[in-house]
Amino acid sequence: MIPELGHFTLILALAMAFIQSSFPLVGATIANQTFMALARPVARLQFFFVVISFFILVYSFLINDFSISYIANNSNTLLPWYYRFSAVWGAHEGSLLLWVLILNIWTIAVTYFSRGLPEYFVARVIGVMGLISAGFLLFMLFTSNPFERIFPIPLDGADLNPLLQDIGLIIHPPILYMGYVGFSVAFSFAIAALLDSNLDTTWARWSRPWTLLAWIFLTLGIALGSWWAYYELGWGGWWFWDPVENASFMPWLIGTALIHSLAATDKRGIFKNWTLLLSICAFALSLLGTFLVRSGVITSVHAFATDPTRGIFILLLLGVFVGGSLVLYAFRAPTIKAGGKFKLLSRETFLLLNSILFLVAMLTVLLGTIYPLIIEALNLGKISVGAPYFNAVFVPIMSPLVVFLGLGVITKWKQDNLFQLLIKLRYLLISTLFIGITIVLVFFENHQLKTSMGIIAALWISLTTFYSFYLRLQNKKNKLAAMLIIPRSYYGMLLAHLGFSVCIVGITITSNHSVDIHERMKIGDTIEFSNYQFNLRDLKEISGPNYKATEAIVDVKKNETLITTLRSQKRIYTVRDMPMTEAGIDAGFTRDIYMSLGEPLDTESWSVRLYHKPFVRWIWLGSILMAIGGLLAILDKRYRTAKQRKKSIIVNNEVVS
Amino acid sequence: MSPRKKRIFVICIVLSGITISVALILTAFEKNLMYFYSPTEVANGSAPEVRDFRIGGIVLKDSVKRNVDNLKVSFVLTDTVSEIEVQYEGILPDLFREGQGIVANGKLQSNNIFIAKQVLAKHDENYMPPEVAEALEKANSHFMEQYK
């Protein structure tokens, strides 16, 4: 009975989504106040129904209701309760419900934090979000109902995929989805702006904090995914250029271009067309990501052909939203007036160049991701595009981007003087090259060219960032007071750019200086590796709630002093009879020591992988800094005062009228 | 700068960006595309001799031989019609088992032994890599029924 209630509330939510999308959108066009006023309450009602539905699924998982097919396939009585909870989004149907729930969380946030915005604008934003929700609810109800029953009811479930039984997979999908789906807000703002008769740049200011927030979640979500892959897959990689990863990376690339372009539109009234296009593009890529991950095309185009309803439905959704918005854009874009003027040598130029580079980077990833699918669909053979392709194209695209980033930060808006810029650059360039090359020569013996490229890039970004801060304070008498006046979004920019350079350091050093060995070990064996001594002290049999494991205990010594003891497990999850590796990691600021058990070779020896991964933490540290930078930008007073000013204008108008 | 000049400048930048990236992609593609061949195709001699490629099939029962001193291992891959010996040094993936479908990347030697640089097995107990499933289907349609 309870699962049917969950199904029923989903249908009610769909009904609300239809009302939420039709009346407010029509109301905004014919200026009907009653229709527009429906937007907020109906959106909240839809949220209410979706939440009930979601909690019914959670509840059914917790009480092990195996009469629901989705739960029977993805849970088990032996599964600990927290994994039964996260199993809700462990597979297709539930993760779609999470998608819709998160879309509704964003919508509800818009209903509460949009009080300063004009009524017709909010009605349009909420209306467009209602359309998206309706599309996905239809998709769920027609092809992927999470509450579908099975008969006969199995005694126990088939268990959750052991790979997903991990803390990282409890938090990673919701955070990533917050980012993915968050771009729907930027998209809806862009559509609302395009529907508006007089398209100015105020929408850019309204859209900015939302877009930044979505970008922050996406950044953290991708970093979490990379961290999870690093410790869970057991072979020390942190990025694989896997189609599923690319699906989240493409919206991030465009999202990054978008937050910069939005800033320029907001501050200087330029790039209006470009910003609108990026907003549409970011959400289109989120939808494409959902299609790639959820339709089954990634495993094989033919897997898609065996169950085409789901894939075709998402493809249809993609076509309607992207096609519809691009048509609208094509009609409206020519009427948009060009904003402020700028000269060739100006910050605007560098912003635009990097925007384009982000787009090019996204297209190369897109091509590498879908080219094999196209070739396979055309029956031209089976190919795979490996990581070397992405690495080969990504570095040359990112190099000019880094150069332009540094130049953009120290160049003035509108117009700069080439001679003065060169004077500024003189010391910056010399110190960047000098420090970079010195560091590489002193600390690194091999791969010096690649390493110095990365280190110089990171130094260039940090030094130009600090220099721009210095320029800002240069002519101020009271430096401390000046520091306090500088808006938070500026500090956000500083921090995010520093985070980017920290990331580059991590990626460069880890990629070029990690070492690993695969060895055969039995109890008592010691291996000398990367100036550490690894001693396999013991092998223990362990049994967990739903698995059996062999644990290797390895003492790591350097010059006869014990540094750490690593524990790595090889687990066999009994229900699916599936092996899993739990790596033993000693994390450090400048290096990780990483060990994972391979396989039993005979009665007493095991194969063991050992890794020394310098600076790998910096990749995630940099991502966190970027996210904090974004958060600082959101907290900028600009948005709050803007809201208050708007409010007072509206209040005044009401008083007058 | 006049609007017209600016537009021309932007167009030039976009075009050069596209040209450079297309050139990059094509060279990178050319180097890094890997084609898939089944053991039968390899036996027919249609697999490339100099390039890396992917091969997939079922690990033949009782064919896995390990070296006692190091991590060298050899096994036979089959699509039920043809067989090919694969050699690898390193740790095999968690789900590598005899009777399991796997995919390997590497190069074919002149003595028809495949030297694998990487061995992949998917993380699912009854999962058959789609390439392998198709290769088997092509080789012998009856065989697939056991796996369905």
Side-chain angles (χ1 to χ4, degrees):
Chain A
M1 186 51 214
I2 288 177
E4 276 68 33
L5 192 67
H7 188 190
F8 184 61
T9 48
L10 272 187
I11 297 172
L12 285 177
L14 177 65
M16 291 307 123
F18 278 133
I19 301 173
Q20 180 192 330
S21 49
S22 50
F23 285 93
L25 280 176
V26 172
T29 314
I30 61 170
N32 182 320
Q33 292 294 335
T34 330
F35 282 10
M36 283 194 273
L38 271 175
R40 284 195 174 95
V42 172
R44 285 169 196 163
L45 212 54
Q46 193 204 152
F47 172 75
F48 175 71
F49 288 132
V50 172
V51 167
I52 289 185
S53 184
F54 186 80
F55 276 104
I56 286 174
L57 191 60
V58 171
Y59 172 76
S60 305
F61 259 101
L62 292 180
I63 63 157
N64 292 317
D65 185 352
F66 296 125
S67 70
I68 298 175
S69 150
Y70 180 67
I71 297 179
N73 287 327
N74 293 291
S75 187
N76 187 274
T77 44
L78 293 175
L79 198 62
W81 72 267
Y82 39 91
Y83 291 140
R84 268 183 275 155
F85 173 66
S86 69
V88 168
W89 51 81
H92 175 77
E93 288 87 346
S95 57
L96 270 176
L97 185 56
L98 181 70
W99 210 103
V100 173
L101 175 73
I102 286 175
L103 178 65
N104 274 276
I105 292 174
W106 281 103
T107 316
I108 206 92
V110 170
T111 67
Y112 283 106
F113 297 101
S114 59
R115 300 202 184 282
L117 274 55
E119 198 59 29
Y120 65 91
F121 193 87
V122 177
R124 280 185 175 136
V125 171
I126 294 176
V128 174
M129 295 190 78
L131 269 181
I132 300 167
S133 184
F136 273 85
L137 282 167
L138 276 174
F139 177 45
M140 255 168 79
L141 289 168
F142 278 122
T143 72
S144 340
N145 177 10
F147 297 103
E148 201 168 275
R149 300 269 199 173
I150 46 164
F151 193 82
I153 299 167
L155 284 175
D156 210 334
D159 206 359
L160 179 66
N161 186 339
L163 263 180
L164 309 181
Q165 296 183 26
D166 180 79
I167 175 78
L169 256 284
I170 297 179
I171 45 177
H172 163 63
I175 302 270
L176 190 70
Y177 275 28
M178 280 300 282
Y180 251 22
V181 184
F183 283 125
S184 69
V185 184
F187 171 78
S188 305
F189 272 79
I191 296 298
L194 281 169
L195 287 170
D196 207 337
S197 50
N198 55 340
L199 210 163
D200 53 14
T201 55
T202 37
W203 70 273
R205 174 167 308 171
W206 300 330
S207 175
R208 247 182 107 185
W210 296 100
T211 313
L212 274 166
L213 194 59
W215 179 85
I216 291 169
F217 277 116
L218 195 58
T219 309
L220 289 176
I222 294 173
L224 268 171
S226 144
W227 174 63
W228 167 80
Y230 171 74
Y231 73 75
E232 186 69 11
L233 297 183
W235 41 291
W238 48 272
W239 190 260
F240 305 97
W241 295 108
D242 177 273
V244 179
E245 288 171 325
N246 294 347
S248 63
F249 191 48
M250 288 187 282
W252 187 86
L253 288 169
I254 293 301
T256 310
L258 174 61
I259 55 175
H260 289 88
S261 186
L262 260 177
T265 309
D266 176 18
K267 274 198 187 129
R268 300 261 307 110
I270 48 169
F271 307 151
K272 281 183 243 174
N273 278 329
W274 184 244
T275 308
L276 285 166
L277 195 60
L278 286 176
S279 303
I280 294 170
C281 196
F283 184 60
L285 288 167
S286 294
L287 286 179
L288 181 75
T290 312
F291 169 72
L292 285 177
V293 177
R294 288 288 151 221
S295 67
V297 293
I298 281 174
T299 29
S300 164
V301 177
H302 303 112
F304 173 57
T306 51
D307 180 21
T309 39
R310 286 180 177 173
I312 287 175
F313 207 114
I314 310 182
L315 212 54
L316 211 66
L317 275 180
L318 189 71
V320 169
F321 284 113
V322 180
S325 48
L326 287 181
V327 167
L328 178 67
Y329 177 78
F331 272 105
R332 296 284 293 142
T335 65
I336 298 170
K337 277 182 237 111
K341 293 213 166 26
F342 60 92
K343 300 280 180 190
L344 187 58
L345 188 68
S346 62
R347 186 175 289 179
E348 286 90 330
T349 306
F350 291 117
L351 271 172
L352 188 62
L353 285 172
N354 272 0
S355 251
I356 294 166
L357 283 174
F358 270 119
L359 188 74
V360 171
M362 183 279 286
L363 289 174
T364 57
V365 178
L366 182 69
L367 197 84
T369 311
I370 64 169
Y371 189 77
L373 299 176
I374 296 170
I375 291 295
E376 200 187 340
L378 297 175
N379 270 326
L380 292 175
K382 278 178 180 299
I383 57 159
S384 61
V385 180
Y389 157 72
F390 294 100
N391 294 336
V393 292
F394 229 69
V395 173
I397 294 172
M398 284 296 130
S399 311
L401 186 134
V402 165
V403 173
F404 296 151
L405 192 165
L407 288 174
V409 167
I410 55 170
T411 311
K412 288 180 188 142
W413 290 105
K414 285 186 194 171
Q415 176 176 12
D416 208 334
N417 182 310
L418 185 64
F419 183 67
Q420 283 179 352
L421 188 67
L422 286 177
I423 289 179
K424 284 186 209 162
L425 276 175
R426 200 173 41 180
Y427 296 117
L428 271 177
L429 260 178
I430 293 171
S431 46
T432 303
L433 292 175
F434 178 75
I435 301 172
I437 291 171
T438 312
I439 288 176
V440 172
L441 287 180
V442 172
F443 292 105
F444 299 102
E445 281 163 16
N446 40 24
H447 296 289
Q448 287 182 329
L449 187 70
K450 281 183 182 168
T451 313
S452 51
M453 265 180 73
I455 300 285
I456 286 170
L459 274 171
W460 169 246
I461 295 173
S462 351
L463 290 181
T464 45
T465 305
F466 282 122
Y467 188 67
S468 92
F469 189 51
Y470 163 77
L471 285 178
R472 252 191 123 115
L473 296 177
Q474 194 180 16
N475 298 322
K476 302 285 189 307
K477 281 208 180 98
N478 186 343
K479 308 271 185 224
L480 196 67
M483 272 189 202
L484 292 174
I485 292 170
I486 293 175
R488 280 189 203 140
S489 59
Y490 181 77
Y491 286 114
M493 183 275 279
L494 290 185
L495 205 58
H497 284 176
L498 287 179
F500 184 43
S501 72
V502 168
C503 237
I504 293 178
V505 171
I507 292 170
T508 307
I509 299 183
T510 308
S511 310
N512 291 309
H513 300 278
S514 287
V515 277
D516 67 288
I517 46 166
H518 293 191
E519 280 291 340
R520 206 186 166 95
M521 280 185 110
K522 55 179 187 286
I523 296 178
D525 278 359
T526 301
I527 290 173
E528 173 88 25
F529 165 64
S530 199
N531 298 326
Y532 294 96
Q533 293 89 41
F534 294 81
N535 175 259
L536 180 60
R537 196 204 314 155
D538 202 5
L539 284 167
K540 268 200 245 169
E541 298 301 317
I542 288 176
S543 63
N546 53 349
Y547 60 86
K548 290 200 209 68
T550 306
E551 185 174 76
I553 300 163
V554 172
D555 289 326
V556 183
K557 287 181 184 163
K558 190 171 197 173
N559 305 328
E560 296 308 308
T561 42
L562 186 70
I563 298 213
T564 179
T565 299
L566 299 175
R567 285 161 193 272
S568 166
Q569 294 182 358
K570 177 66 75 179
R571 295 178 180 172
I572 308 284
Y573 283 83
T574 40
V575 179
R576 294 194 178 194
D577 190 25
M578 204 169 132
M580 272 295 307
T581 312
E582 292 289 312
I585 302 173
D586 180 51
F589 187 64
T590 56
R591 61 102 187 93
D592 272 21
I593 302 173
Y594 185 115
M595 187 230 359
S596 69
L597 268 182
E599 51 196 330
L601 297 172
D602 48 47
T603 44
E604 48 183 10
S605 35
W606 280 72
S607 58
V608 172
R609 291 180 174 92
L610 300 172
Y611 298 86
H612 180 254
K613 302 192 82 73
F615 287 82
V616 66
R617 298 277 140 185
W618 285 43
I619 298 170
W620 306 304
L621 184 72
S623 314
I624 293 170
L625 288 179
M626 283 194 257
I628 298 174
L631 197 66
L632 275 179
I634 294 179
L635 295 175
D636 200 305
K637 284 188 196 125
R638 180 180 181 80
Y639 305 116
R640 256 169 292 153
T641 48
K643 242 179 228 166
Q644 277 156 8
R645 212 184 309 135
K646 262 265 132 46
K647 220 179 218 169
S648 62
I649 291 169
I650 288 167
V651 170
N652 288 343
N653 284 351
E654 276 165 7
V655 170
V656 172
S657 61
Chain B
M1 193 165 36
S2 72
R4 187 158 164 269
K5 255 195 194 161
K6 198 158 73 186
R7 209 166 297 145
I8 291 170
F9 168 73
V10 169
I11 290 168
C12 285
I13 291 295
V14 173
L15 281 182
S16 56
I18 290 169
T19 321
I20 292 169
S21 53
V22 165
L24 276 172
I25 290 163
L26 289 182
T27 43
F29 246 65
E30 182 52 37
K31 275 188 210 144
N32 296 307
L33 282 188
M34 262 196 281
Y35 284 83
F36 178 89
Y37 294 92
S38 68
T40 303
E41 285 168 324
V42 175
N44 293 341
S46 48
E49 280 160 18
V50 275
R51 281 185 74 128
D52 282 15
F53 63 92
R54 280 152 74 97
I55 185 167
I58 303 279
V59 181
L60 195 70
K61 288 241 153 58
D62 302 321
S63 75
V64 180
K65 291 193 192 76
R66 289 180 196 282
N67 193 316
V68 193
D69 304 316
N70 50 34
L71 293 172
K72 280 189 180 146
V73 58
S74 81
F75 54 89
V76 175
L77 270 188
T78 173
D79 57 3
T80 73
V81 172
S82 312
E83 292 175 356
I84 182 161
E85 186 181 335
V86 179
Q87 292 182 350
Y88 177 68
E89 179 164 11
I91 295 175
L92 293 163
D94 281 350
L95 277 168
F96 181 93
R97 284 177 216 170
E98 292 183 344
Q100 166 93 19
I102 64 115
V103 172
N105 296 344
K107 220 174 233 171
L108 193 66
Q109 278 188 335
S110 48
N111 55 1
N112 252 17
I113 290 176
F114 189 81
I115 306 296
K117 290 177 183 161
Q118 198 183 13
V119 175
L120 308 160
K122 285 285 175 172
H123 249 289
D124 196 338
E125 77 283 10
N126 48 19
Y127 181 84
M128 181 77 75
E131 299 97 327
V132 177
E134 203 179 306
L136 291 178
E137 210 162 358
K138 246 190 247 166
N140 186 337
S141 49
H142 298 294
F143 185 85
M144 278 308 289
E145 277 155 26
Q146 299 170 29
Y147 279 85
K148 271 187 178 156

